[in-house]
Amino acid sequence: MDPGYQGCQLLGATRQVGREAHADQSIIILHAKVAQKSYGNEKRFFCPPPCVYIRGQGWRVMQDHLKAAGYGDSVYRTCGYMCLDSSSQSQADTFKLVFDEQPNSRQLFACAKSLFISDQDKRKHFSLVLRLFLGNTQEVGSFQSKMIKVISKPSQKRQSMKNADLCISSCSKVALFNRLRSQTVSTRYLSVDRGAFVASARQWTAFTITMVDDQRADQGGFVLSEAFICYGSVVQLVCPESGVALPPMVIRKVNKQHAILDVDEPVSQLHKCAFQFRDDHNAFLCLSNDAIVQHQAPPSARDPSRVVLNDGSCWTIIGVEQVEFTFNQGLACIQTPISPFPVITGLEVNGGGHVAMLEVDGENFSPHLKVWFGNSEAETMFKSARSLLCVVPDVTVFSDGWRCLRRPITVPLSLVRMDSLIYRTPFSFTYTPELHLPPAARGPAGGARREGVPDGVQEDEEDVLLETIHQEARTITFLATAVLTESRVGTEIDML
C-alpha cells in the first residue's frame, strides 16, 4: 500500500490529486436509448434491461481498509436501487439490484429486469436513477443515466431527418437480442464472454456498429462514417471492451421471417433485422441453443428478392447509451455521498500566456470544487452550478527543463472536492508552444534547414539558440487549447 494515501484520510490534509489510477472507482450504467410504453395491465419491461457495472481496484482497496479496521462483511457489501427519475415513483416501482462478481473478472454486475414506464406517465423523455449503498446504510451516491425516449411501438415507416433520433448511426453503440415465439423468458442477448460471441439470458454487450466501405473490406480497410446505417449496407460489430469483432456483414430488413434483399431505407430503433455474411450470401448470423452459429437460408420460392429465415436469425436492434462515473477517494473512506456528481460538458479558453483563463461548463458544480491540471491545483472561481472559471497554471509547473517547452504538454483535468475526493473527467488540457525566433535566426525560409550542416550539429545549435533566447528574456507564448480525450473511441478505431 502506498503510504502516500494516508494523507487523504483527514479533511484538510495534504491532497494528492495524482493518486494512483489503479485506486480509481468506476460506476458504469448501460441502457437503451428508447423504451416502449406499457398500456393497461401489460408491463413492457425495458429490453435490454438497464445494467450496472462496478469496476476499479479502488473498491477493493476500500474494502481491505474497512476489513483492517475491524468492520464486518455487511459494512462494505455493495447494494443498489434503480428507478425512473419521477418523484411519484413508489417503492414498488423501484428495482433492487443484486450485484454478482463476474467470473474471470474483478468487476461487479447487476441488471434491472423489471423496470417499465406506464401509460399514466405522459413524459416523452425520462432518465434512470441509480442509488448505491455500502452495507445498505451508508449511501455512496445517486447517479443518473442519459435521457431515454418513450415510444409506443417500433416505427415501420421510412425514417426521415425529422425522426433522426430513431435512426441507427454508424459508429454508435447498439444491442442485439433474439426473442423466440415472442416469449419474454426466451429472450437472448448477443454478448461477448472471454473473447467469444455467446447468447446470454441476462447480460448484453454494447457493440460499436460501423459502416464499412465494401470495396475496401476485401483488403481489411474501413471507412468510418457518421451517416445513418441503411439496409443493404456492409457493417461490422465490434466489442469495445475486448476488441473482438464479427466479420463484415450486410444488414437486411426482416418481415415475417423473410430477409428482404431490395430495401435500402434507414435502420430504425427496435427494427427486426438479419445479418448476412458478405462472403456467403446464404449464411446469416443465427442463435441456436445459446450458441452463435451460421444459418443457411434458402431463397423464397415466391419472391427472388427474399430469403427464408428461421427464428434464430431474426434479431432486434436498438441503440444504447453508456454513462460512466469515475472517482478516487483513496483510503479517505469519505462519509458523505459523492453525489451530486459534477460533469464537464465543455471548455473555453480566454486569453493566453500568463493571463489565460479556462471557463468550464457542465452540471452539478458547487463552491467546494477546485479544478486541477494534472497534479496542480488551479485558482478556481464558482460562477454557477453550470459554470466554473479558473486560472490556467503556468506551463513551467509541468516541465522539467527549458527543452521540454519545445513540445506540446498535455495534462488531464480533474475536479477535486474540499474533502479530497477526486472526480475524474475525460477532458485534458494541452499547452502548445509558439516560438518567436529573432529574424536572423529565422532566415529567409522560416523553418527551413541549412544545407551542409549535420542534423546533430544543427540541433545542438538550436538548443544553444533557445538557451540564449531564454537568457535574454525573450518570450515564448503558449496557446492553451482544451481537448476532450475520447480514449474509448480512439481505442475502438485502433481495434478496427
Side-chain angles (χ1 to χ4, degrees):
M1 196 77 66
D2 187 347
Y5 292 150
Q6 303 296 328
C8 304
Q9 293 186 25
L10 300 176
L11 182 64
T14 302
R15 287 174 286 177
Q16 301 176 12
V17 73
R19 289 196 287 256
E20 296 296 335
H22 65 70
D24 283 354
Q25 299 167 249
S26 295
I27 300 166
I28 301 170
I29 302 176
L30 286 173
H31 62 88
K33 286 186 175 182
V34 300
Q36 282 189 269
K37 182 177 290 188
S38 301
Y39 291 95
N41 294 326
E42 179 189 10
K43 296 180 179 179
R44 294 181 177 177
F45 299 133
F46 298 155
C47 191
C51 293
V52 179
Y53 290 88
I54 294 180
R55 300 174 180 169
Q57 186 63 22
W59 296 99
R60 185 72 60 181
V61 171
M62 180 187 65
Q63 291 176 1
D64 292 343
H65 180 67
L66 291 173
K67 284 182 180 179
Y71 293 99
D73 291 350
S74 61
V75 172
Y76 57 82
R77 191 176 302 278
T78 306
C79 65
Y81 300 87
M82 181 173 280
C83 64
L84 277 63
D85 63 336
S86 172
S87 58
S88 62
Q89 289 288 312
S90 64
Q91 187 173 359
D93 298 323
T94 301
F95 187 88
K96 182 176 181 180
L97 298 172
V98 178
F99 287 94
D100 300 324
E101 184 166 350
Q102 294 185 297
N104 305 314
S105 173
R106 299 299 294 270
Q107 65 182 2
L108 299 177
F109 167 79
C111 66
K113 297 183 293 185
S114 60
L115 286 179
F116 66 96
I117 182 168
S118 69
D119 55 352
Q120 304 299 319
D121 196 329
K122 304 303 180 182
R123 293 178 296 174
K124 294 183 179 180
H125 294 84
F126 68 93
S127 63
L128 301 171
V129 176
L130 166 69
R131 296 188 66 193
L132 210 59
F133 295 85
L134 290 178
N136 211 20
T137 54
Q138 182 177 335
E139 183 177 3
V140 176
S142 297
F143 309 91
Q144 201 157 356
S145 74
K146 294 186 179 180
M147 298 304 293
I148 301 173
K149 182 180 178 66
V150 180
I151 61 175
S152 58
K153 61 180 181 179
S155 175
Q156 297 302 322
K157 297 180 180 179
R158 184 183 181 94
Q159 298 299 330
S160 62
M161 290 303 296
K162 182 179 179 181
N163 296 319
D165 54 345
L166 292 179
C167 297
I168 305 294
S169 60
S170 180
C171 300
S172 65
K173 287 184 170 60
V174 299
L176 296 173
F177 62 90
N178 182 287
R179 181 170 290 169
L180 299 177
R181 297 175 295 278
S182 300
Q183 296 177 353
T184 303
V185 295
S186 65
T187 304
R188 296 293 182 270
Y189 306 98
L190 186 63
S191 182
V192 173
D193 182 26
R194 285 170 282 188
F197 285 86
V198 298
S200 173
R202 184 167 178 252
Q203 200 166 348
W204 53 277
T205 297
F207 294 98
T208 300
I209 185 168
T210 306
M211 199 149 48
V212 178
D213 188 321
D214 197 24
Q215 294 180 348
R216 300 194 185 187
D218 294 330
Q219 291 78 31
F222 299 90
V223 175
L224 304 183
S225 172
E226 297 297 332
F228 294 128
I229 292 177
C230 297
Y231 291 110
S233 302
V234 179
V235 299
Q236 187 162 44
L237 296 169
V238 181
C239 171
E241 296 292 332
S242 63
V244 299
L246 287 167
M249 299 177 292
V250 182
I251 187 169
R252 301 293 188 184
K253 186 172 184 178
V254 171
N255 185 20
K256 297 180 180 179
Q257 298 294 107
H258 288 80
I260 309 175
L261 306 181
D262 58 355
V263 172
D264 61 355
E265 64 187 46
V267 181
S268 186
Q269 303 287 352
L270 290 174
H271 267 194
K272 290 287 185 67
C273 61
F275 293 90
Q276 178 186 35
F277 286 91
R278 187 176 54 88
D279 298 329
D280 185 352
H281 291 176
N282 294 325
F284 285 79
L285 186 72
C286 180
L287 163 69
S288 177
N289 297 325
D290 291 348
I292 304 302
V293 298
Q294 292 187 20
H295 167 68
Q296 294 295 320
S300 173
R302 297 182 179 181
D303 189 346
S305 65
R306 300 188 174 204
V307 294
V308 181
L309 301 174
N310 61 358
D311 287 341
S313 302
C314 301
W315 299 90
T316 301
I317 188 170
I318 187 171
V320 297
E321 295 278 14
Q322 174 177 317
V323 56
E324 181 172 343
F325 306 90
T326 300
F327 59 97
N328 189 317
Q329 60 177 333
L331 297 182
C333 297
I334 296 170
Q335 300 297 315
T336 57
I338 67 171
S339 59
F341 202 100
V343 178
I344 296 179
T345 58
L347 303 170
E348 183 177 352
V349 180
N350 299 315
H354 299 291
V355 293
M357 302 290 290
L358 179 66
E359 187 165 354
V360 182
D361 297 324
E363 300 175 354
N364 301 326
F365 294 156
S366 75
H368 306 296
L369 290 176
K370 297 291 185 181
V371 179
W372 283 64
F373 290 66
N375 295 335
S376 178
E377 179 181 347
E379 182 181 349
T380 306
M381 290 141 280
F382 173 77
K383 295 178 63 178
S384 70
R386 294 179 174 271
S387 179
L388 296 174
L389 190 65
C390 67
V391 179
V392 177
D394 192 272
V395 67
T396 55
V397 175
F398 310 103
S399 59
D400 296 329
W402 175 252
R403 296 181 182 181
C404 296
L405 301 184
R406 296 168 57 184
R407 301 186 301 269
I409 298 175
T410 300
V411 294
L413 290 180
S414 302
L415 297 174
V416 181
R417 206 167 65 178
M418 289 183 64
D419 57 358
S420 301
L421 178 67
I422 303 171
Y423 298 99
R424 303 293 190 191
T425 79
F427 286 81
S428 64
F429 191 90
T430 299
Y431 294 85
T432 304
E434 189 178 69
L435 181 61
H436 297 283
L437 293 176
R442 283 198 292 263
R449 304 183 65 85
R450 289 176 292 163
E451 296 182 0
V453 179
D455 291 343
V457 174
Q458 180 159 327
E459 289 178 0
D460 292 339
E461 291 180 359
E462 289 176 354
D463 291 338
V464 172
L465 176 61
L466 285 174
E467 295 288 354
T468 302
I469 295 173
H470 180 55
Q471 292 171 4
E472 293 178 356
R474 298 189 181 275
T475 62
I476 288 184
T477 61
F478 278 79
L479 303 176
T481 56
V483 180
L484 169 60
T485 55
E486 292 288 356
S487 58
R488 292 185 180 274
V489 174
T491 303
E492 293 169 14
I493 295 176
D494 292 340
M495 293 172 181
L496 291 178

